[in-house]
Amino acid sequence: MATVAFIGLGNMGGPMAANLIKAGMTVTVFDLMPAAVDALTAQGALSAKTACGAAASADVVISMLPAGKHVSSLYLGDASNKGLLDVVSKDTLLIDCSTIDAATAQLVGSKAAQKGIEFMDAPVSGGTAGAAAGTLTFICGGTDAAFNKAQTVLTVMGANIFHAGQVGAGQIAKICNNMLLSVLMVGTSESLQLGIDNGLDPKILSDIMKVSSGGNWTLEKYNPCPDVMDNVPSSKGYQGGFMVDLMVKDLGLSQQAALASNSSTPMGALARSLYVNHARQGHGRLDFSSIFEQFSQKK
Ligand code: NAD
């Protein structure tokens, strides 16, 4: 059974690491927040004082961090700290599941390859519910050897595992998906509010649209209107889930990619603008479905 180091135990990393423990793996965890570490040690994880300490003797290292700068300093180190590439053995497989820019993933991948270490980007889709249920979609970028070796851990945490291409390809596929998700969330929110403003019950309207041509993931799994669905962030004060600040980051990444490839992405650009505005109003730490409030709040 693989020994795993898990770095970054937030809304996603916490439940993902918990599933590895439940599967009987030896999991050593690290996070900057002691409370996040305590929650995992209570479920059977070992803990380490540093990320390097957690990773030094692991077969597989998995990271789940906010953004590219965190991933770069974790693996490559900085002025005051060693990076994981300085301490792990050549046999260790490194898997970064964060959503970051493809360039950082490629930089870490090339530095790892220079040392003969396999690195794979494997961003996920499926939200916190998918992380808890072990049904995430993993979108991997790396060599065939890394992809094959990663199956042992990824199949415990996910239901769909794709090999998008070489290192960085997972990140490109992921930002395409999240750009579409943001557009669907905004469109679903404005449609639901239009119905409410014209006397419709949002539950009935959601049931209708779910099986009609407007049906989409946000209506099926993540309705943004409070009290339409149980156990989704909109029915819990938009707490937990996928933060607006992280969606703003992903939409920035998709716009950067669009500029670099001269792609036309007008809907993604508008969605980014709406989410930036929402964050600037102080809602950055709410779940991204809270964009509904831009349409629902009485002015
Ligand atoms: P989060 O903010 O809840 O968790 C991030 C964790 O990383 C925090 O616990 C933080 O303390 C820790 N951390 C930050 N820097 C660290 C470091 N140097 N060493 C150790 N720990 C460190 O974020 P999240 O929602 O879990 O998202 C993580 C990543 O997954 C992001 O890239 C996000 O875009 C992506 N993602 C999130 C969701 C979602 O629904 N939340 C879905 C898909 C992908």
Side-chain angles (χ1 to χ4, degrees):
M1 194 68 83
T3 60
V4 181
F6 208 112
I7 320 292
L9 308 165
N11 289 329
M12 295 296 287
M16 289 164 71
N19 281 330
L20 295 174
I21 297 166
K22 274 186 222 145
M25 294 182 186
T26 304
V27 183
T28 306
V29 297
F30 177 73
D31 192 290
L32 298 177
M33 308 286 284
V37 173
D38 293 346
L40 267 296
T41 52
Q43 297 174 68
L46 304 171
S47 68
K49 288 196 171 63
T50 62
C52 285
S57 58
D59 299 319
V60 181
V61 175
I62 302 173
S63 51
M64 193 50 162
L65 301 175
K69 63 182 180 189
H70 308 99
V71 173
S72 163
S73 77
L74 173 71
Y75 286 97
L76 307 182
D78 52 36
S80 42
N81 293 303
K82 281 187 171 180
L84 297 192
L85 294 187
D86 298 313
V87 300
V88 299
S89 81
K90 283 192 169 48
D91 297 332
T92 309
L93 173 64
L94 307 175
I95 307 174
D96 178 47
C97 296
S98 326
T99 304
I100 64 168
D101 56 296
T104 296
Q106 285 156 351
L107 175 69
V108 175
S110 71
K111 299 270 184 202
Q114 282 166 18
K115 296 189 171 202
I117 302 166
E118 290 276 15
F119 171 87
M120 195 168 77
D121 55 311
V124 305
S125 179
T128 47
T135 56
L136 290 170
T137 295
F138 284 90
I139 311 164
C140 304
T143 63
D144 287 343
F147 181 72
N148 292 337
K149 195 171 170 192
Q151 298 301 310
T152 335
V153 286
L154 300 189
T155 49
V156 172
M157 301 182 288
N160 298 296
I161 297 153
F162 291 101
H163 193 183
Q166 292 306 304
V167 174
Q171 298 296 349
I172 298 289
K174 169 67 184 171
I175 57 168
C176 292
N177 179 74
N178 274 23
M179 185 175 79
L180 176 57
L181 171 63
S182 70
V183 170
L184 292 171
M185 186 56 89
V186 170
T188 298
S189 295
E190 68 183 35
S191 298
L192 284 171
Q193 189 58 40
L194 175 66
I196 294 166
D197 290 343
N198 286 276
L200 294 188
D201 177 335
K203 282 191 187 169
I204 295 173
L205 177 57
S206 295
D207 286 344
I208 293 167
M209 293 198 296
K210 222 167 20 184
V211 295
S212 303
S213 44
N216 68 77
W217 185 88
T218 72
L219 282 168
E220 283 163 22
K221 303 249 170 82
Y222 218 95
N223 198 298
C225 178
D227 302 323
V228 168
M229 287 177 81
D230 293 332
N231 289 323
V232 290
S234 61
S235 298
K236 297 186 270 190
Y238 297 108
Q239 297 302 310
F242 180 46
M243 285 188 292
V244 168
D245 282 342
L246 292 176
M247 181 54 99
V248 167
K249 174 203 61 167
D250 291 0
L251 291 171
L253 294 175
S254 60
Q255 290 306 295
Q256 280 167 14
L259 270 176
S261 55
N262 201 26
S263 305
S264 172
T265 53
M267 305 303 286
L270 179 55
R272 177 183 172 273
S273 197
L274 289 165
Y275 271 103
V276 167
N277 189 43
H278 194 47
R280 286 168 67 109
Q281 290 170 8
H283 307 306
R285 297 195 65 78
L286 295 183
D287 178 71
F288 82 114
S289 62
S290 63
I291 197 77
F292 180 75
E293 292 190 332
Q294 291 290 330
F295 306 99
S296 66
Q297 272 177 357
K298 299 263 182 296
K299 300 279 188 283

